[in-house]
Amino acid sequence: AKEEGRNSYRFYSKEMTTLAFERLVMEENLQQALENKEFRLYYQPQFDTRTGEISGLEALIRWEHPKLGLLLPDQFIPLAEENELILKIDRWVMRTAMEQFVQWYEEGLNPGRLGLNLVIRQLNSSDFIRTLEECIAQTGFLPSWLILEISEEQVMSKPDEYIKKLQILHDMGITIAIDDFGTGYSSLAYLRRLPVSMLKIDHSIIEHIPENTDSVAIVKAIIALTESLGISVVAEGVEEEKQKISLMEYGYYYMQGYYYCKPVVADEIEKLFLKK
Ligand code: C2E
Ligand code: CA
Ligand code: CA
Ligand code: CA
């Protein structure tokens, strides 16, 4: 059957550009990767610098490609997002991470909350909420443990359309976070109307702290804004101590980045943090 598949690619490729051909192959490979269990889930901890404890873990997917090695999400998620494949992949992510969290909590360990990346295609899919409820019921995961992260760019593309759906999730007890915050054009009006209780500040802003006065002004403005709205903030991409120190001075507590830990597999999370 594999041989047949290859021949049909060759047939199609005559009418297609190389790029379209490569995409077709990649889509086919992504489908097979799910079946062959080639995806791996990594976790990156988030810390509360006041206590030094883990406040949560963000699940980040990797693809252990049999020929190409470990692939990062930017190398395959954008393509998967163009069709229904992302729904299947993220369903796997959701289930795997929830099972892991339930296991940790049952062992008496405390991984904090689980951050899952959500894309608009999921929010638009008619059975996303049912899938989520099913997954929660089947694994024994608690909705209050969950943070759904959606990028500012995606949610602000059509905020009015998404308010209702995000409200349903919020009413289930799930935390909604705006990811990559500071890269798009959120208006204060929308931040008020969206049921959002967390912002994750994009690493491109954190990167220039404390040297760049514009970046400093932005992170200070965000803190001032979120305090009045009761929204918590996470600084992403913290790589150096000076960033951490400055951010703490401005009133930031929650941090995530290579300075603390890069994304690692569940066993490493246990060894480094949960069972130490
Ligand atoms: P993101 O949600 O903004 O995730 C944070 C990214 O920053 C991760 O990249 C992480 O490895 C990286 N990072 C962490 N600390 C640092 C640091 O100190 N410095 C710098 N420069 N980068 C840092 P990663 O794992 O390559 O993921 C890239 C993006 O792919 C994610 O961005 C997210 O949008 C998407 N993604 C990852 N996993 C999934 C998934 O399971 N489902 C979906 N739909 N999207 C995913
Ligand atoms: Ca994220
Ligand atoms: Ca981010
Ligand atoms: Ca992102």
Side-chain angles (χ1 to χ4, degrees), residues 58 149 179-181 200-203 236:
E58 178 175 4
E149 307 181 359
D179 206 352
D180 307 338
F181 191 79
K200 297 190 77 177
I201 315 304
D202 196 63
H203 63 88
E236 277 201 303

Side-chain angles (χ1 to χ4, degrees), residues 76-95:
F76 59 92
I77 289 289
L79 177 65
E81 263 188 84
E82 284 175 25
N83 58 51
E84 303 282 301
L85 264 173
I86 191 67
L87 303 179
K88 291 188 190 167
I89 294 173
D90 276 336
R91 202 175 299 155
W92 174 85
V93 170
M94 182 187 289
R95 180 151 207 121

Side-chain angles (χ1 to χ4, degrees), residues 112-166:
R113 290 198 281 177
L114 166 67
L116 290 181
N117 289 290
L118 179 69
V119 294
I120 284 301
R121 199 177 266 276
Q122 284 168 287
L123 213 51
N124 282 337
S125 127
S126 56
D127 60 13
F128 172 67
I129 291 183
R130 204 189 29 161
T131 303
L132 182 64
E133 284 173 332
E134 236 171 56
C135 210
I136 286 172
Q138 287 168 0
T139 58
F141 187 91
L142 298 185
S144 61
W145 294 339
L146 188 59
I147 300 170
L148 288 175
E149 307 181 359
I150 184 144
S151 81
E152 179 182 36
E153 189 193 353
Q154 291 205 357
V155 78
M156 291 306 165
S157 64
K158 285 180 193 153
D160 291 316
E161 225 178 284
Y162 304 131
I163 285 174
K164 232 168 129 187
K165 287 184 175 167
L166 292 176

Side-chain angles (χ1 to χ4, degrees), residues 4-254:
E4 245 175 66
R6 214 167 281 151
N7 286 335
S8 62
Y9 290 148
R10 202 166 293 146
F11 167 73
Y12 285 120
S13 72
K14 283 179 189 154
E15 351 273 290
M16 279 195 262
T17 64
T18 317
L19 206 68
F21 170 69
E22 280 172 1
R23 295 162 67 87
L24 191 69
V25 174
M26 193 68 169
E27 275 173 24
E28 176 83 12
N29 288 348
L30 273 170
Q31 184 73 48
Q32 279 176 4
L34 263 174
E35 288 157 23
N36 299 345
K37 304 191 191 320
E38 290 166 8
F39 291 115
R40 301 286 173 263
L41 212 49
Y42 279 52
Y43 297 89
Q44 188 178 36
Q46 231 169 59
F47 288 88
D48 181 340
T49 50
R50 290 169 299 184
T51 59
E53 299 287 320
I54 282 189
S55 51
L57 299 172
E58 178 175 4
L60 296 160
I61 197 171
R62 305 289 182 255
W63 178 5
E64 211 168 284
H65 194 284
K67 293 199 185 84
L68 304 174
L70 201 68
L71 301 183
L72 291 170
D74 291 343
Q75 296 170 282
F76 59 92
I77 289 289
L79 177 65
E81 263 188 84
E82 284 175 25
N83 58 51
E84 303 282 301
L85 264 173
I86 191 67
L87 303 179
K88 291 188 190 167
I89 294 173
D90 276 336
R91 202 175 299 155
W92 174 85
V93 170
M94 182 187 289
R95 180 151 207 121
T96 306
M98 284 185 179
E99 281 172 353
Q100 180 64 71
F101 263 62
V102 169
Q103 195 190 313
W104 276 328
Y105 276 115
E106 279 175 356
E107 287 176 46
L109 305 173
N110 187 7
R113 290 198 281 177
L114 166 67
L116 290 181
N117 289 290
L118 179 69
V119 294
I120 284 301
R121 199 177 266 276
Q122 284 168 287
L123 213 51
N124 282 337
S125 127
S126 56
D127 60 13
F128 172 67
I129 291 183
R130 204 189 29 161
T131 303
L132 182 64
E133 284 173 332
E134 236 171 56
C135 210
I136 286 172
Q138 287 168 0
T139 58
F141 187 91
L142 298 185
S144 61
W145 294 339
L146 188 59
I147 300 170
L148 288 175
E149 307 181 359
I150 184 144
S151 81
E152 179 182 36
E153 189 193 353
Q154 291 205 357
V155 78
M156 291 306 165
S157 64
K158 285 180 193 153
D160 291 316
E161 225 178 284
Y162 304 131
I163 285 174
K164 232 168 129 187
K165 287 184 175 167
L166 292 176
Q167 189 64 49
I168 295 173
L169 296 169
H170 175 81
D171 291 345
M172 287 168 67
I174 295 165
T175 298
I176 308 296
I178 305 230
D179 206 352
D180 307 338
F181 191 79
T183 55
Y185 303 92
S186 302
S187 75
L188 177 55
Y190 275 119
L191 264 190
R192 280 222 174 87
R193 289 177 56 199
L194 291 169
V196 162
S197 38
M198 180 181 277
L199 302 182
K200 297 190 77 177
I201 315 304
D202 196 63
H203 63 88
S204 60
I205 294 165
I206 303 302
E207 199 184 337
H208 304 293
I209 303 286
E211 303 85 26
N212 185 298
T213 49
D214 286 345
S215 299
V216 170
I218 292 171
V219 295
K220 283 183 172 172
I222 292 173
I223 273 285
L225 162 78
T226 52
E227 262 169 7
S228 65
L229 294 174
I231 293 174
S232 62
V233 280
V234 180
E236 277 201 303
V238 176
E239 294 182 354
E240 293 167 57
E241 184 162 36
K242 62 173 184 186
Q243 294 171 326
K244 173 191 117 173
I245 291 171
S246 303
L247 286 164
M248 285 183 77
E249 255 173 51
Y250 313 146
Y252 282 74
Y253 302 123
Y254 298 110

